[in-house]
Amino acid sequence: MKTTYLGFLAMGMILACSPKTQVNQSTSPSDEPQYLLTVGNENVPAEEFLHMLSKNRDFNQTGEKLSPEEFEENLALFIDYKLKVKEAEALGMHESEDFVREFGTFKEDLKKPYLLENSLQEGELRKAYSRMQEVVHAQHILLRFPPNASKEDSIAVLRMAINLKEKAEGGENFGELALEYSQDPSVSTNQGDLGYFTSLQMVYAFEDAVYQLQEGQVSDPVLTSFGYHIIKLIDRKPNPGQVRVSHILVRTDPADPVSEDRARRKITDIYTELQKDDVSWDEVCKAYSEDNATKNSSGNLPWFGVGAFIKEFENAAFSLREEGEISAPVKSPYGYHIIRLEEKKPIASYEEMEESLKSKILRDSRSDLIQSQVIAIQKSKYNFKENTAIINASISSMKQSSGGISNAHQILADKNLMDSTLFTINEKPKKVSDLVSFIEADEVVIKPSQRNQFKAWLDKFIETSLAETEEMDLLANNEDYRLLIKEYRDGILLFNLMNEMVWQKALKDSAGLQEYFTEHQDQYQWKDRVQALIIKINKTSVKSPVQEFLTDKPYNSQLKSELTNYLEKDHSPLEFSIDQGTYEYADHPVLKKAALQKKLQQVTVDNKTYIVLLGEQFPAGPKALNETKGKVIQDYQESLDQNLISLLKENYIIQINEDEKNRIADIVVTQN
C-alpha cells in the first residue's frame, strides 16, 4: 500500500528543498485558512496535509491518486505526526539551543530559492552563459589614476580617455595609440591586443562594455578598479568550446642570443621526425620535450577554453581539426611548441555549468552589483524611508568623538539620539538604539573603512533589516515557503522527540529491553537447526578436492578457514564459495533439500552444485537475547512508539473538520 509516512519520519534529516506542490487547489471554498484538524488548542490547516501528500505526486494525474483506504491511512499517520510535534513543543524542544541552531541552518538554505537575490542571481547566471556562446577579440587602452588621486586628477584622466576615444574614432591607429598612451604593462608586446576571451574572464564592467560593442566600434571610457579603459572590438565569433592537447616544448632563453636559433633548429628536427610513420609521439615527447611537468605523461595538458592560455599557443590549438593532428612549430614567450590535438568538446550545457558559473559570479564584482540591486528593490517594495537629519547627526557625533565604535552607546546617548528614528520600513521605525544593539551583538562580519566605521555598521544594519522584512513577507504571503518552513521545523522536532523517547531509549534502556524480551519470548523462537558447512562449486574441477578434504572429517568451527587455505593453493577464489554456521534448515534453500541423516553429501539447487557437511542438530526452542538483539530493539522501539501515540491521544483532544477532510479527499482520492 502506498503511503507518504516515510516523508514524515525523515523530515528532521532532509537535506534538499522539497518539490513544490503540483495540485490545483482552486476547490478551496474561501480564501480564509481552513482547518482540517484541531490538536489540543492548535488548528492545523488543511493545506499542510495536502502539502505532505503532494510530495513527489501530481494529483492532477489519475494514476497518482490514492485509494480511500490509503487516504485514511495517511490521515491517521498525519494525526500521529502532529501529536508528536505538539508534545515536542510542550516539552520545550523548540526553545533548545540545539534546535534553534539546527533549524536556523536549515532555514537559511530553504529560503534562498525564494529570495529576490536568487532571481537576480539567476538572471546574471543566464546572462553570463548566454555571453559564453561567443568569444570576443578586443584591444584596449588603460589610463590609471595617480596615487592618492584628487577629484581634479580623476576628471583629468577622464578627459584624456574621451580625447583618445575621439582620436580612435577619427581614424588613428588604435595599436599605435595604445603604445603611446596605455599604462597596461603588457602594451609593449601586444599593443593593447587582448586576444579572444569570453564571459567571466574580465572584470564585469569591462566585459559588459565589450559585449555591447559592434565590430570596429570604440567604447566610451569604461571605469574599473584599474582605471579608465578605451576598448575597441575587433571580432566576435561562436565559442569553439574546449580542447585537450599534448605538446612538446623546446625552451628559449631571452638572456642568451644563441638559444633562439638553437631552439628553432631543434624544434624543426623534432617536427621532421614526427612526420615518419614509425615514430611514436610518446617516445619523442619523453626524449626531447623540455616541459618537465608533462614530458613523462605524453605532454598532456588539461582541458582549456578560449582565453585560458597564451594567445599564440591557444590559436594553434584551436586551429587543429582532427584528433591526432599535429601543428607546425609554434613560437610563444616560453619557446617553441609542437601541439597535438587529443579531444574537442563543445561548451557544456547550462545545467552542467550552473554551479561553476555561480561560484565565479559570487567571487567577482557581480555579487556586489546583485546585492545593491536587491537592496534597491527591497527599499522600494517595503517603503523604506531614511531620516537623513538623524543619520547625519549620528555619523557626525561618532566622527567628532575619539571613543570609537565600542563606545557608540555612550556617545549617542550623550547627544540624546538613542530614541530617534534612523529609518522606517513599512512605516515601522528603526531607532538609533536598535542600531547600537545591533553593533553590540556583534553577530555579523563587516570590513568597514577606518575613516567611517560607524557608516559601515549603519549600512549593514539597513541591509539586515531589509532582509528580515523580506523573510517576514515570505512567511506571510508565500504559501509554498511557509509550508516548507513549517515542514522542516516540525520535522526536526519530530526527529528530536523520537530520538529521545523512542530510538535512544530502546538502545540505552537495557532493563526495559530485557523486560520487553521476556514478556514477548514467544516471538523469538528458533526452528529446528543444524550446523552446516556449505560449499558452492563454481567450477567442476574443484569438486573432487573438496570431497577428498572433507571425507571422514567431523564438523568443527575451523573447517571453513582450513578448507579455504587448502583450496586456494591450486584454485582461484572465484571457483568456489564457502558458508558455515548454524541454520534453520526448513527455510534454507540448500539445506531443506539435504538428507539430515547423512553427514557429507552433494546437493543440487537451480542447476548449481553444493557440497554439504552437516554437524550437530538442535531442536526448536527459545532464542537468547544476544542472538536476536537487533530484532528485539527494533520491536521495542515500535512498542515505545505505539505507547507514546496512545499516551498522546489521551492527553490531547483531536477534532477533525469533516468538510475540509472531504475537500482534500476530492482532490487526492480516486473517484470510483
Side-chain angles (χ1 to χ4, degrees), residues 190-471:
N190 64 16
Q191 296 186 11
D193 192 335
L194 300 172
Y196 282 95
F197 57 91
T198 189
S199 182
L200 296 170
Q201 292 180 330
M202 299 290 180
V203 293
Y204 181 65
F206 191 99
E207 173 195 313
D208 209 38
V210 171
Y211 272 90
Q212 294 180 49
L213 295 174
Q214 301 299 317
E215 291 179 25
Q217 186 178 1
V218 178
S219 73
D220 290 326
V222 177
L223 179 63
T224 73
S225 58
F226 299 100
Y228 277 110
H229 306 258
I230 304 301
I231 309 167
K232 182 177 181 179
L233 181 64
I234 307 301
D235 182 32
R236 62 199 316 153
K237 62 183 181 181
N239 192 330
Q242 289 188 306
V243 294
R244 188 172 67 81
V245 301
S246 53
H247 80 134
I248 295 170
L249 169 66
V250 176
R251 296 186 181 276
T252 55
D253 182 0
D256 180 4
V258 179
S259 74
E260 178 75 25
D261 183 61
R262 186 191 308 118
R264 187 168 52 250
R265 284 188 281 106
K266 182 177 179 181
I267 201 72
T268 301
D269 291 343
I270 294 171
Y271 183 68
T272 301
E273 184 74 8
L274 287 169
Q275 307 309 306
K276 299 176 182 177
D277 292 338
D278 59 345
V279 171
S280 163
W281 169 274
D282 294 352
E283 292 176 359
V284 172
C285 180
K286 189 172 183 178
Y288 300 112
S289 180
E290 295 174 12
D291 182 356
N292 292 328
T294 66
K295 64 181 296 182
N296 293 319
S297 57
S298 303
N300 280 309
L301 296 170
W303 286 98
F304 65 91
V306 169
F309 266 47
I310 51 178
K311 183 171 62 174
E312 300 86 353
F313 188 98
E314 185 180 287
N315 290 342
F318 277 98
S319 69
L320 298 172
R321 295 285 177 256
E322 302 294 331
E323 292 183 9
E325 183 181 351
I326 296 173
S327 75
V330 177
K331 179 73 169 67
S332 84
Y334 299 102
Y336 288 91
H337 310 257
I338 297 173
I339 305 168
R340 185 175 73 168
L341 178 63
E342 305 297 338
E343 293 180 84
K344 277 190 173 186
K345 64 181 179 182
I347 186 170
S349 69
Y350 176 78
E351 289 71 24
E352 292 174 299
M353 295 187 68
E354 184 175 6
E355 286 306 313
S356 65
L357 289 174
K358 185 180 295 185
S359 175
K360 290 177 181 178
I361 281 175
L362 291 177
R363 291 199 306 267
D364 77 2
S365 58
R366 286 170 177 82
S367 61
D368 295 332
L369 174 66
I370 291 169
Q371 186 58 35
S372 65
Q373 290 174 334
V374 167
I375 292 173
I377 294 171
Q378 288 171 333
K379 284 181 175 180
S380 175
K381 184 175 182 179
Y382 302 123
N383 196 24
F384 176 87
K385 294 179 181 177
E386 283 188 351
N387 188 337
T388 307
I390 296 300
I391 288 177
N392 289 340
S394 300
I395 293 173
S396 177
S397 298
M398 292 299 299
K399 280 184 177 179
Q400 292 171 10
S401 172
S402 59
I405 198 72
S406 60
N407 292 317
H409 188 287
Q410 187 64 50
I411 295 167
L412 297 170
D414 288 345
K415 297 290 186 178
N416 296 317
L417 290 169
M418 293 292 280
D419 289 331
S420 301
T421 298
L422 286 166
F423 55 86
T424 60
I425 300 176
N426 285 339
E427 308 301 328
K428 295 180 180 178
K430 290 289 185 177
K431 298 184 177 182
V432 174
S433 58
D434 297 322
L435 170 58
V436 171
S437 297
F438 179 75
I439 294 171
E440 291 175 345
D442 197 26
E443 293 176 349
V444 297
V445 177
I446 64 170
K447 295 179 180 179
S449 66
Q450 294 299 314
R451 291 183 294 177
N452 206 339
Q453 197 175 19
F454 181 79
K455 179 64 164 59
W457 277 102
L458 174 61
D459 290 342
K460 192 65 181 180
F461 181 53
I462 292 172
E463 179 185 330
T464 303
S465 299
L466 288 167
E468 290 171 350
T469 303
E470 183 181 0
E471 184 174 351

Side-chain angles (χ1 to χ4, degrees), residues 51-288:
H51 171 74
M52 296 293 192
L53 288 176
S54 302
K55 296 173 71 63
N56 303 316
R57 286 177 177 270
D58 181 0
F59 287 118
N60 292 319
Q61 303 296 321
T62 303
E64 292 287 304
K65 294 198 173 188
L66 303 173
S67 69
E69 294 78 17
E70 289 172 332
F71 177 75
E72 292 294 340
E73 180 182 359
N74 277 283
L75 179 58
L77 293 170
F78 182 69
I79 291 171
D80 292 348
Y81 160 65
K82 296 305 297 184
L83 282 167
K84 291 174 182 177
V85 172
K86 188 70 177 173
E87 178 68 5
E89 291 173 338
L91 294 172
M93 289 184 174
H94 63 303
E95 298 173 339
S96 71
E97 288 185 11
D98 287 344
F99 170 81
V100 171
R101 181 173 57 253
E102 183 178 5
F103 179 51
T105 300
F106 272 109
K107 190 164 65 170
E108 285 301 307
D109 288 334
L110 292 173
K111 72 182 180 184
K112 286 178 182 177
Y114 296 89
L115 296 175
L116 285 167
E117 181 180 6
N118 185 70
S119 60
L120 293 174
Q121 188 180 89
E122 174 73 12
E124 286 298 326
L125 291 175
R126 293 285 181 182
K127 185 199 294 185
Y129 183 74
S130 176
R131 286 177 173 175
M132 278 184 160
Q133 306 312 301
E134 284 188 320
V135 292
V136 291
H137 179 192
Q139 284 178 284
H140 84 133
I141 299 168
L142 171 63
L143 301 179
R144 297 182 181 274
F145 297 114
N148 302 314
S150 64
K151 182 177 180 180
E152 290 74 19
D153 292 331
S154 301
I155 292 173
V157 174
L158 175 58
R159 286 175 178 162
M160 173 63 78
I162 293 171
N163 183 41
L164 288 172
K165 173 190 163 125
E166 292 171 352
K167 287 177 179 288
E169 289 181 329
E172 293 192 38
N173 184 282
F174 197 93
E176 292 177 1
L177 289 173
L179 275 173
E180 184 174 355
Y181 295 104
S182 182
Q183 294 169 302
D184 184 335
S186 65
V187 69
S188 60
T189 57
N190 64 16
Q191 296 186 11
D193 192 335
L194 300 172
Y196 282 95
F197 57 91
T198 189
S199 182
L200 296 170
Q201 292 180 330
M202 299 290 180
V203 293
Y204 181 65
F206 191 99
E207 173 195 313
D208 209 38
V210 171
Y211 272 90
Q212 294 180 49
L213 295 174
Q214 301 299 317
E215 291 179 25
Q217 186 178 1
V218 178
S219 73
D220 290 326
V222 177
L223 179 63
T224 73
S225 58
F226 299 100
Y228 277 110
H229 306 258
I230 304 301
I231 309 167
K232 182 177 181 179
L233 181 64
I234 307 301
D235 182 32
R236 62 199 316 153
K237 62 183 181 181
N239 192 330
Q242 289 188 306
V243 294
R244 188 172 67 81
V245 301
S246 53
H247 80 134
I248 295 170
L249 169 66
V250 176
R251 296 186 181 276
T252 55
D253 182 0
D256 180 4
V258 179
S259 74
E260 178 75 25
D261 183 61
R262 186 191 308 118
R264 187 168 52 250
R265 284 188 281 106
K266 182 177 179 181
I267 201 72
T268 301
D269 291 343
I270 294 171
Y271 183 68
T272 301
E273 184 74 8
L274 287 169
Q275 307 309 306
K276 299 176 182 177
D277 292 338
D278 59 345
V279 171
S280 163
W281 169 274
D282 294 352
E283 292 176 359
V284 172
C285 180
K286 189 172 183 178
Y288 300 112

Side-chain angles (χ1 to χ4, degrees), residues 588-649:
H588 194 279
V590 176
L591 296 178
K592 67 182 180 182
K593 295 190 175 184
L596 295 177
Q597 68 279 8
K598 191 174 182 181
K599 294 297 182 183
L600 182 63
Q601 57 195 289
Q602 178 177 313
V603 178
T604 302
V605 179
D606 296 332
N607 296 320
K608 299 291 184 181
T609 300
Y610 298 83
I611 304 298
V612 177
L613 178 67
L614 298 180
E616 186 178 355
Q617 298 181 32
F618 305 97
K623 295 181 179 179
L625 177 57
N626 64 351
E627 292 177 314
T628 184
K629 192 170 184 179
K631 181 65 168 65
V632 177
I633 289 174
Q634 181 182 351
D635 293 344
Y636 185 37
Q637 287 174 337
E638 291 179 6
S639 174
L640 290 172
D641 186 28
Q642 292 305 312
N643 292 340
L644 174 61
I645 291 171
S646 298
L647 178 63
L648 296 180
K649 286 180 177 178

